[in-house]
Amino acid sequence: MFGRSRSWVSVSGRSGSNVHSLDRLKYMYHVLTKNTTVTDQNRNLLVETIRSITEILIWGDQNDSSVFDFFLEKNMFVFFLNILRQKSGRYVCGQLLQTLNMLFENINHETSLYYLLSNNHVNSIIVHKFDFSDEEIMGYYICFLKTLSVKLNSHTVHFFYNEHTNDFALYTEAIKFFNHPEHMVRVAVRNITLNIYKVNNQPMLHYIRDKTAVPYFSNLVWFIGIHVIELDKCVQTDEEHKNRGTLSNLVSQHLDHLNYLNDILIIDCEFLNDVLTDHLLNRLLLPLYVFSLVNQDKPSERPRISPQVALYLLSQVFLTIHYAPLVNSLADVILNGDLSMFSSKAEHDVQQGSADYSIRCFTKPHETLEKSLELNRQRGRKKHQKRPNYKNVGEEEEDEKPSEDIQEDIDKGKVAENTSKFAKGSGDTEEIEMVIMERSKAAEKSSVIKEENTTDEEKSEAAAGVHSSQNRPFLDMVYSTLECTEDDYYTLFVLCLLYAMSHNNGIDPSKLERIHLCLRPAKEANTYNHVLVERLIRIMNNSANLESKVRLATLELACILLKQLVLFEADCIIKDIHLACLEGAREESVHLLRHFYKGEEIFLDMFEDEYRSMASKPLNVEYLMMDESILLPPTGTPLTGIDFVKRLPCGDVERTRRAIRVFFMLRALSLNLRKEPETQLPLTREEDLIKTDDVLDLNNSDLIACTVITKVGDQVQRFLAVDIYQMSLVEPDSKRLGWGVVKFAGLLQDMQVTGVEDDSRALNITIHKPASTPHSKPFPILQATFIFSDHIRCIIAKQRLAKGRIQARRMKMQRISALLDLPVQPSKEVVGFGHSSTSSTQHLPFRFYEQPRRVGSDLTVQNSVFASVDKVPGFAVAQCINQHSVSPASSPSPPSSSSSSGSTGPCDSVTTSVTSTPSTIQSPSDDSSIMDQPSVYSQIETTEDNLSFPTWSRKSSLRKLDSEITNLAPSLTPAPQPTISLISDDNTDSLSVESLTLVPPIDPCSIHSFSFILESPLKSDLQKCENAKFCVTESADGNTKQ
Amino acid sequence: MAYAYLFKYIIIGDTGVGKSCLLLQFTDKRFQPVHDLTIGVEFGARMITIDGKQIKLQIWDTAGQESFRSITRSYYRGAAGALLVYDITRRDTFNHLTTWLEDARQHSNSNMVIMLIANKSDLESRREVKKEEGEAFAREHGLIFMETSAKTASNVEEAFINTAKEIYEKIQEGVFDINNEANGIKIGPQHSTPGSPGSHMGGQQAGGGCC
């Protein structure tokens, strides 16, 4: 401590309050007065002095008000300005800016703040021309402005905005950087402007609108437009998705801009919004976006973007901006407008003599922002204000449009009336045609007729197109693009656009009602947009094809839209005919999935995983439209890094995944429209599972006592119980005998069990939880060593877990096949399973308890509920499977035993089969193998064969049991466990364990020794084997047979 | 000062968790933490050395953007690294992490390295959030985790530098598209301009802090 305080005498050291004191500030003042001119010699001193002053001032603000008084009294700010203005002062600029940043960031007392802001010093600093080429200076400067803008409110605004001189340096200096090349600087500029707009000070806002709004907004809109054109070029010139990086950047920038505009509009400052809306609509959205929707083939002077980009951008606009005047006008043009608005309207405006700003055209502003701001400043207040002009432009449009459109609307209204009558009248005849969606071209024709009132059926499509192009070309383009004949490149955008429009709060519902896209139901909600619904259903139908080019995102969005069109709170107004078509599509999806359905275990994992990821990540259209990858033509390869739902599947696994998802979506949709609840999915429902702290009735359940040692070393005594889908660790319930409290429950299907190298009483058990987000690594919810009282208990536990695992998985597979309307047939796989399971209940001392009996709300029922099994979904199925499979299991002998009886021949054949590699052995047994690890199984069979020496045949009944046991075991041994070799002379016990748990003889030594045994069958060895065998049966059966 | 790369960082988290103090602690060694003085800054830069390469870290505090969606997303997008900060003495700042993270993941480029910072570790007596909780959250969401104290400067260096190391590794692996400036990474000027007065500050600060 002493050493320290001494050291502060030398300049660098500082400790405690000595450094932070009024006296110290006085000393600093002294230094400043001595060094008014910056020289090479004193500049380091000056930097340090200013830095210290900063610290003292902030300290003073927090601890001692006299510090600020002194600072003000001596007018120390002037020293700063003085330094700034010197040529060599540049050197100190960085420090000064940091100081200013810190002062305004850290000063909390209002009086202190006012001191700092008084005398216009801060404004002098704002307009100072710093060396902005320096990254650091730029950063400090813009942050300084940002900090000031945060401090801006109706009290402090007078320090910045001078009504008399029309100066608002903070704002005008900031917006000069609106297109600075450095991203962070641009963001800060936008932040500053928003902070300023937010301040509700009329004179200031008037100033902003009158003097700066037009130049700023027109430049901003132009800047955005330039970006869009660049973006479009990027899409058009793309080859092999090489432009994606650039495109991503451009899309994000565009979204930044849109969101920024929306943030301005949300502040809801009326004057600003008028000007902004005018510019945005008439200088960008209409002339560039909407105009590009049609007439792509006609050459034009006007700049254009490709239609897919236009659709994409328009969707983004509707998703982002909800400002009613803007989105209403825009929606109106898309739904009702025609091309005339780009010609006559403009002329009209010119005739009115209004400023050329109102021409609907995407053109460059006359002058740069900086120049306009400069000119505006010079013009001063006296000059004629432009304000009424802008205001009028906005109003005039609002007024004009209706008057022009009213006539049109009336006409359309009539047409619509007529058509709806027509539709009702001819409904019956049409329905027949529409039944088959594949041939629904005809249906579509008639619906087009309905809409457009065209009579010529022959060339209806073309005719309708031509006809309507005079009417509503934009809407027509939207509809026609919904057709996904080739692929769904454009379709996705149109769906997004429709979705975005229907979800936009700003749009007047009556506008959307015209195309029945309204989210809220119309008064008598019994009609809907037939054309749209039919096209949506066609997309669904299409997506269920094997070679479909419909991406999952498109399908999901189509489902959402369809629901939205026909489903209102309680009512589903879909016509039977459409529902039938939809059911057809669902059927197709079932067929499609059946095509991929395999008995493989992995199918179950995929099935559940897909469900999980679909449920956890429903389509978010907003996020979807932020993704630049959909702007490029759909591709199939995952090498692009494009999200699975936004591209086509690649390879069989992905095709399976896709089919699964299509199935899920159409199933959900169909159930939804038919108002039926989902009872089958997900396969495992959270609410059916045993949870921690549940209290179960475990009377008559099999429980194995064990010690659980977790990875961190905690050690607890638990009982292990196995349920249908789960294993659980319980401890006795203190209140009721025979009941247990669940301390842990985990899904059997996600479990891995391995033996422990040097302890035959222990098992390592790991249960992984499926990852919830792609960012997290799979995280084991249980990772522990279980120690049982002896190796027999250990084997039993291991078996039970293994069997439970298989059974749980199998049960789910059965349910999947039930979902796919596949007959739940006793295939040979099921036979094997059913066989073992039935025999298990007969011979083996464990039994699954049928129902998690929990202490819930009704205790009385709980006790008697033992028999009610239907609460667990799928249990009923499982039960009937069991019953089903009993009969076939009992009559033919299991495949393994028959094969063993065949191979009980000469010794040498056995030896060869032992020494041969597993792969060659595998083939014959593979067919009968039902295990998830067929190779392991086949090896087991071989060892089995080896053991079935002629002398063994007498114990055929035992053998049978053995084979059953072996049938079960392989899933227990996912990893090789080479440590306990098959033949171990010193420990017969471990041998018996291993013949049960079936370690594949991977260890070449053990194979060798085995063949050696066979060649020279030592009696003792054989005896040992036999003993082991008996051991096994004994332990498994519980009967003493020796 | 010439640099091989410039990494842009942002600091996010609830107000009052000590973001700007962390920033100042790291970027400017001249401001030593003192018990009766709380001082922060919203922008700073510092040079560090990784793998023998000079790397400049430019750090932007995102304060003042809370009510504007557009600003939030823009800030995220321009950064290569983010420090997500909470205050161990305020449970609510920890509870808000999920929202912050969701925002960050949504708006940032997917390669952005996010480090979870549990700040104010010096206030052990008022601790409301256990270290294990922070670790668990970080593990679950794939973040790097560190407890720091801007007051005592403990772990502050490590937090920023470890993040930089991870970004650097990603560059070496070719994960980051360094030519795309929107990733928050800039390649240094080929020709350094020593003696330019403007760059003085960065150099001076870096002098104190280079590891």
Side-chain angles (χ1 to χ4, degrees):
Chain A
M1 197 59 214
F2 270 105
R4 259 198 176 184
S5 54
R6 196 163 283 171
S7 74
W8 85 250
V9 182
S10 65
V11 189
S12 65
R14 70 185 82 83
S15 76
S17 51
N18 279 331
V19 172
H20 303 129
S21 67
L22 184 57
D23 289 342
R24 186 82 184 147
L25 183 64
K26 284 175 179 163
Y27 171 71
M28 292 297 169
Y29 172 69
H30 177 70
V31 174
L32 282 182
T33 48
K34 284 276 152 65
N35 295 280
T36 46
T37 320
V38 185
T39 63
D40 282 353
Q41 285 75 43
N42 69 4
R43 59 186 197 178
N44 283 331
L45 176 68
L46 276 171
V47 167
E48 178 55 24
T49 307
I50 297 170
R51 197 200 62 76
S52 297
I53 292 173
T54 320
E55 246 180 80
I56 298 169
L57 282 176
I58 295 168
W59 174 84
D61 178 64
Q62 291 167 5
N63 299 290
D64 181 1
S65 57
S66 64
V67 165
F68 254 89
D69 295 336
F70 180 81
F71 182 76
L72 202 72
E73 190 187 309
K74 298 291 176 190
N75 216 350
M76 285 170 79
F77 227 113
V78 176
F79 286 95
F80 293 176
L81 280 171
N82 179 34
I83 291 168
L84 208 63
R85 287 181 183 134
Q86 293 176 41
K87 248 200 166 146
S88 48
R90 270 180 58 167
Y91 183 81
V92 195
C93 276
Q95 182 54 59
L96 263 174
L97 280 170
Q98 191 201 35
T99 295
L100 290 165
N101 257 307
M102 286 183 171
L103 287 180
F104 286 100
E105 161 82 12
N106 294 285
I107 299 282
N108 293 321
H109 286 98
E110 232 167 50
T111 38
S112 313
L113 181 68
Y114 290 171
Y115 281 165
L116 286 176
L117 289 176
S118 55
N119 289 332
N120 222 20
H121 293 324
V122 170
N123 284 323
S124 317
I125 293 170
I126 291 175
V127 295
H128 181 79
K129 297 289 172 211
F130 290 94
D131 173 21
F132 293 124
S133 62
D134 185 291
E135 276 168 359
E136 228 115 277
I137 300 278
M138 187 69 230
Y140 277 121
Y141 177 75
I142 209 75
C143 272
F144 169 53
L145 297 193
K146 194 186 87 181
T147 311
L148 289 177
S149 76
V150 172
K151 300 280 175 188
L152 206 61
N153 57 38
S154 45
H155 299 295
T156 54
V157 70
H158 307 290
F159 292 113
F160 298 99
Y161 168 57
N162 186 331
E163 241 177 286
H164 304 290
T165 58
N166 251 329
D167 264 337
F168 194 6
L170 176 61
Y171 180 67
T172 52
E173 291 305 312
I175 58 177
K176 284 177 188 164
F177 293 102
F178 86 103
N179 59 359
H180 192 271
E182 164 60 52
H183 174 82
M184 287 300 197
V185 172
R186 290 199 303 271
V187 181
V189 169
R190 298 201 284 258
N191 202 349
I192 294 164
T193 58
L194 287 168
N195 282 334
I196 291 173
Y197 298 152
K198 205 173 60 177
V199 178
N200 190 14
N201 179 283
Q202 292 301 313
M204 179 199 80
L205 290 173
H206 273 284
Y207 166 81
I208 289 175
R209 185 196 53 195
D210 298 341
K211 299 293 173 192
T212 67
V214 169
Y216 180 50
F217 290 147
S218 60
N219 274 286
L220 186 64
V221 164
W222 171 252
F223 183 62
I224 297 172
I226 292 296
H227 257 101
V228 164
I229 286 176
E230 201 184 324
L231 191 155
D232 180 59
K233 201 177 288 162
C234 195
V235 171
Q236 290 191 6
T237 60
D238 178 69
E239 277 170 15
E240 313 288 326
H241 283 240
K242 275 184 195 135
N243 286 354
R244 228 180 116 208
T246 327
L247 195 59
S248 152
N249 192 10
L250 288 167
V251 167
S252 308
Q253 274 191 40
H254 179 71
L255 275 169
D256 279 356
H257 290 138
L258 263 188
N259 277 295
Y260 170 55
L261 295 175
N262 186 48
D263 275 339
I264 299 178
L265 292 168
I266 283 177
I267 292 175
D268 207 22
C269 166
E270 197 195 333
F271 330 130
L272 287 181
N273 283 7
D274 286 345
V275 184
L276 182 57
T277 306
D278 175 34
H279 273 93
L280 203 51
L281 259 186
N282 295 320
R283 319 274 281 161
L284 183 69
L285 300 183
L286 295 180
L288 193 62
Y289 294 12
V290 177
F291 183 71
S292 301
L293 287 180
V294 290
N295 295 331
Q296 281 292 326
D297 37 353
K298 288 183 199 160
S300 168
E301 298 282 293
R302 289 161 175 273
R304 259 185 216 287
I305 52 177
S306 43
Q308 70 270 31
V309 175
L311 284 168
Y312 178 83
L313 295 174
L314 281 170
S315 322
Q316 283 185 338
V317 171
F318 282 113
L319 282 172
T320 313
I321 298 180
H322 288 209
Y323 179 65
L326 192 145
V327 288
N328 264 324
S329 313
L330 186 59
D332 203 57
V333 172
I334 294 172
L335 298 180
N336 302 313
D338 58 34
L339 282 172
S340 63
M341 59 180 314
F342 291 108
S343 43
S344 61
K345 195 76 174 180
E347 281 166 33
H348 199 73
D349 286 342
V350 173
Q351 280 165 7
Q352 295 265 312
S354 57
D356 51 356
Y357 284 117
S358 59
I359 298 174
R360 285 209 176 93
C361 189
F362 176 65
T363 50
K364 198 175 174 178
H366 292 297
E367 49 200 18
T368 62
L369 176 60
E370 209 151 323
K371 206 173 160 197
S372 323
L373 290 174
E374 198 48 47
L375 286 174
N376 265 334
R377 243 171 76 89
Q378 285 163 5
R379 271 178 216 140
R381 268 180 79 81
K382 281 287 151 81
K383 285 250 174 161
H384 170 67
Q385 293 193 348
K386 279 189 165 184
R387 181 188 132 220
N389 191 7
Y390 308 133
K391 191 87 174 142
N392 284 349
V393 170
E395 277 170 0
E396 169 206 323
E397 271 166 17
E398 289 299 311
D399 293 342
E400 285 298 328
K401 212 171 289 154
S403 66
E404 236 183 65
D405 289 354
I406 279 171
Q407 194 56 42
E408 257 185 51
D409 285 357
I410 290 170
D411 289 345
K412 276 175 198 153
K414 278 179 190 162
V415 170
E417 259 175 56
N418 290 341
T419 51
S420 66
K421 275 179 201 157
F422 170 69
K424 273 172 196 158
S426 61
D428 291 348
T429 50
E430 277 163 27
E431 282 186 7
I432 299 159
E433 285 179 347
M434 291 191 315
V435 173
I436 309 151
M437 285 304 291
E438 307 313 321
R439 284 187 236 143
S440 58
K441 276 272 185 255
E444 193 209 314
K445 281 180 201 164
S446 53
S447 50
V448 167
I449 297 158
K450 263 189 284 172
E451 285 289 308
E452 306 298 343
N453 204 14
T454 320
T455 41
D456 193 350
E457 279 209 40
E458 289 304 306
K459 42 181 180 176
S460 60
E461 285 248 68
V466 172
H467 176 86
S468 59
S469 70
Q470 293 149 11
N471 260 340
R472 299 190 283 180
F474 307 121
L475 183 61
D476 225 62
M477 183 271 180
V478 166
Y479 277 154
S480 64
T481 314
L482 259 186
E483 200 78 55
C484 53
T485 42
E486 286 288 303
D487 54 33
D488 64 346
Y489 186 20
Y490 288 33
T491 314
L492 182 58
F493 299 130
V494 175
L495 292 175
C496 284
L497 179 63
L498 292 174
Y499 176 91
M501 281 169 80
S502 63
H503 282 256
N504 194 306
N505 304 324
I507 299 181
D508 181 7
S510 64
K511 285 206 166 53
L512 293 173
E513 241 164 64
R514 221 169 291 156
I515 59 162
H516 299 285
L517 201 65
C518 196
L519 264 189
R520 278 134 295 175
K523 282 116 242 160
E524 64 282 346
N526 48 17
T527 57
Y528 54 90
N529 189 333
H530 288 241
V531 190
L532 201 52
V533 165
E534 275 157 29
R535 301 214 174 176
L536 290 176
I537 294 178
R538 195 162 324 138
I539 291 172
M540 291 165 197
N541 238 313
N542 192 339
S543 67
N545 289 340
L546 195 56
E547 293 299 319
S548 171
K549 291 274 168 97
V550 178
R551 287 167 289 178
L552 287 169
T554 312
L555 177 63
E556 193 166 353
L557 196 49
C559 289
I560 294 174
L561 271 177
L562 183 67
K563 268 191 261 179
Q564 188 180 310
L565 280 171
V566 300
L567 212 55
F568 299 114
E569 285 150 20
D571 291 322
C572 175
I573 56 166
I574 194 165
K575 290 211 159 52
D576 287 347
I577 179 69
H578 287 145
L579 190 59
C581 295
L582 184 67
E583 284 299 305
R586 192 190 61 83
E587 275 297 315
E588 280 301 310
S589 76
V590 173
H591 283 295
L592 177 70
L593 185 52
R594 258 189 250 170
H595 180 85
F596 292 103
Y597 175 85
K598 298 191 184 80
E600 290 166 10
E601 285 237 352
I602 190 70
F603 188 86
L604 172 63
D605 292 311
M606 279 164 69
F607 193 82
E608 294 210 284
D609 187 53
E610 290 306 312
Y611 192 89
R612 211 176 300 120
S613 43
M614 264 185 71
S616 69
K617 246 180 84 185
L619 183 71
N620 182 325
V621 181
E622 221 172 311
Y623 292 172
L624 175 71
M625 293 309 277
M626 286 179 190
D627 191 340
E628 76 290 339
S629 63
I630 58 171
L631 266 174
L632 299 174
T635 173
T637 168
L639 298 176
T640 51
I642 298 174
D643 195 16
F644 179 54
V645 298
K646 296 171 203 158
R647 58 175 168 82
L648 297 165
C650 173
D652 227 32
V653 170
E654 285 200 344
R655 263 191 277 276
T656 311
R657 287 178 59 197
R658 182 183 179 281
I660 293 173
R661 288 215 184 191
V662 171
F663 167 74
F664 284 148
M665 281 191 250
L666 292 181
R667 178 182 162 86
L669 179 69
S670 147
L671 287 173
N672 219 318
L673 294 186
R674 286 185 286 138
K675 303 235 150 280
E676 285 173 23
E678 173 64 89
T679 54
Q680 295 300 311
L681 293 172
L683 294 178
T684 318
R685 288 188 300 179
E686 240 355 271
E687 59 263 34
D688 297 322
L689 293 180
I690 300 170
K691 290 172 203 68
T692 305
D693 292 335
D694 279 353
V695 183
L696 307 178
D697 179 2
L698 297 169
N699 288 301
N700 296 320
S701 301
D702 287 309
L703 299 168
I704 307 173
C706 58
T707 306
V708 180
I709 304 169
T710 59
K711 218 182 169 189
V712 284
D714 296 338
Q715 191 168 338
V716 282
Q717 299 292 329
R718 293 278 183 264
F719 289 91
L720 175 70
V722 180
D723 191 25
I724 305 170
Y725 294 127
Q726 289 167 289
M727 64 149 272
S728 45
L729 295 173
V730 298
E731 66 177 19
D733 185 17
S734 54
K735 294 182 197 107
R736 258 163 309 176
L737 193 65
W739 291 61
V741 182
V742 177
K743 287 294 159 193
F744 171 86
L747 284 175
L748 286 165
Q749 67 184 74
D750 302 325
M751 180 185 61
Q752 277 179 303
V753 181
T754 49
V756 175
E757 286 183 17
D758 47 3
D759 190 351
S760 62
R761 295 174 308 141
L763 294 175
N764 281 326
I765 298 185
T766 313
I767 298 183
H768 279 275
K769 191 186 176 185
S772 48
T773 66
H775 297 285
S776 62
K777 290 160 196 120
F779 177 60
I781 51 172
L782 176 78
Q783 197 167 21
T785 307
F786 286 53
I787 299 176
F788 300 91
S789 47
D790 54 36
H791 73 272
I792 301 294
R793 297 297 177 301
C794 180
I795 296 160
I796 293 173
K798 196 170 182 182
Q799 276 193 358
R800 189 171 303 171
L801 290 171
K803 197 162 196 175
R805 183 175 184 274
I806 294 173
Q807 185 134 346
R809 288 182 154 262
R810 212 136 299 273
M811 206 120 79
K812 286 191 170 177
M813 284 303 273
Q814 298 287 355
R815 289 177 52 203
I816 293 176
S817 30
L819 275 171
L820 298 184
D821 301 329
L822 287 169
V824 186
Q825 55 196 329
S827 65
K828 49 189 169 181
E829 299 160 23
V830 180
V831 172
F833 168 65
H835 171 72
S836 54
S837 81
T838 42
S839 64
S840 76
T841 45
Q842 283 159 13
H843 302 286
L844 294 170
F846 62 90
R847 193 183 312 122
F848 292 93
Y849 49 87
E850 287 81 353
Q851 162 81 3
R853 282 147 285 157
R854 282 175 217 157
V855 179
S857 46
D858 44 355
L859 263 172
T860 45
V861 184
Q862 289 293 338
N863 286 327
S864 61
V865 84
F866 188 79
S868 73
V869 289
D870 53 14
K871 275 193 181 171
V872 179
F875 188 77
V877 181
Q879 280 252 310
C880 77
I881 296 157
N882 279 349
Q883 285 161 9
H884 204 147
S885 48
V886 169
S887 47
S890 53
S891 48
S893 53
S896 53
S897 65
S898 64
S899 70
S900 66
S901 64
S903 68
T904 49
C907 288
D908 46 42
S909 78
V910 175
T911 5
T912 50
S913 76
V914 169
T915 45
S916 61
T917 57
S919 59
T920 52
I921 313 164
Q922 203 169 322
S923 45
S925 56
D926 222 18
D927 299 337
S928 59
S929 157
I930 55 149
M931 296 304 144
D932 47 347
Q933 289 151 310
S935 63
V936 175
Y937 176 68
S938 64
Q939 287 164 3
I940 289 149
E941 282 238 289
T942 345
T943 54
E944 181 81 40
D945 290 348
N946 296 329
L947 289 170
S948 63
F949 221 59
T951 43
W952 292 81
S953 54
R954 60 192 157 96
K955 298 181 218 109
S956 63
S957 64
L958 289 178
R959 261 208 51 76
K960 193 170 165 186
L961 182 63
D962 277 350
S963 71
E964 286 154 19
I965 296 162
T966 57
N967 269 348
L968 291 174
S971 69
L972 270 177
T973 57
Q977 299 165 293
T979 42
I980 310 171
S981 86
L982 206 60
I983 308 298
S984 73
D985 291 10
D986 49 1
N987 191 345
T988 39
D989 278 352
S990 74
L991 173 63
S992 70
V993 169
E994 284 316 307
S995 62
L996 238 187
T997 48
L998 291 158
V999 176
I1002 350 143
D1003 189 350
C1005 301
S1006 70
I1007 297 176
H1008 278 285
S1009 58
F1010 209 102
S1011 49
F1012 166 75
I1013 294 161
L1014 289 166
E1015 275 158 26
S1016 59
L1018 293 168
K1019 236 200 171 125
S1020 61
D1021 273 339
L1022 244 180
Q1023 189 59 44
K1024 218 172 254 175
C1025 283
E1026 206 169 326
N1027 280 345
K1029 223 36 180 187
F1030 275 110
C1031 244
V1032 169
T1033 30
E1034 183 186 287
S1035 64
D1037 219 334
N1039 292 328
T1040 339
K1041 291 210 170 177
Q1042 226 172 351
Chain B
M1 280 293 278
Y3 51 81
Y5 296 110
L6 183 146
F7 297 165
K8 279 177 243 173
Y9 279 24
I10 51 168
I11 304 195
I12 52 177
D14 284 7
T15 42
V17 296
K19 290 173 292 191
S20 57
C21 295
L22 276 174
L23 205 168
L24 183 66
Q25 265 316 301
F26 178 71
T27 55
D28 204 332
K29 290 283 152 217
R30 299 170 303 159
F31 292 88
Q32 305 253 312
V34 178
H35 76 280
D36 58 352
L37 177 64
T38 317
I39 189 165
V41 69
E42 292 189 0
F43 172 81
R46 185 179 138 185
M47 206 73 90
I48 60 168
T49 314
I50 293 178
D51 203 11
K53 291 222 169 62
Q54 290 285 90
I55 290 174
K56 188 171 191 170
L57 303 185
Q58 196 183 69
I59 304 135
W60 299 74
D61 186 354
T62 59
Q65 44 76 26
E66 286 78 8
S67 49
F68 305 116
R69 220 176 94 101
S70 63
I71 306 302
T72 320
R73 57 158 279 133
S74 304
Y75 272 127
Y76 283 124
R77 225 169 43 68
L83 302 189
L84 172 54
V85 189
Y86 71 91
D87 177 352
I88 63 156
T89 67
R90 279 164 58 207
R91 161 77 48 186
D92 57 320
T93 64
F94 179 75
N95 294 341
H96 295 160
L97 288 180
T98 326
T99 325
W100 280 109
L101 194 63
E102 223 167 81
D103 250 32
R105 295 269 197 227
Q106 185 50 47
H107 297 307
S108 65
N109 74 71
S110 53
N111 295 317
M112 184 167 84
V113 175
I114 305 178
M115 176 165 255
L116 183 63
I117 304 286
N119 196 25
K120 307 200 186 173
S121 62
D122 52 306
L123 300 175
E124 193 56 51
S125 58
R126 284 164 48 200
R127 182 189 278 274
E128 283 183 17
V129 185
K130 274 187 258 166
K131 190 176 182 188
E132 291 74 30
E133 294 178 83
E135 281 169 344
F137 185 91
R139 186 164 355 99
E140 192 181 333
H141 294 92
L143 314 174
I144 326 169
F145 176 74
M146 201 160 262
E147 284 208 341
T148 64
S149 164
K151 258 277 164 2
T152 65
S154 126
N155 265 344
V156 174
E157 292 274 313
E158 291 80 353
F160 284 88
I161 291 170
N162 287 357
T163 314
K165 278 183 186 155
E166 182 136 335
I167 297 170
Y168 184 77
E169 271 166 32
K170 283 196 173 187
I171 293 177
Q172 301 305 102
E173 288 164 16
V175 182
F176 266 117
D177 175 12
I178 44 173
N179 295 315
N180 187 349
E181 261 198 49
N183 278 336
I185 296 173
K186 227 160 116 178
I187 305 173
Q190 293 302 311
H191 308 287
S192 59
T193 48
S196 116
S199 63
H200 165 75
M201 283 217 15
Q204 194 186 48
Q205 285 160 30
C210 272
C211 45

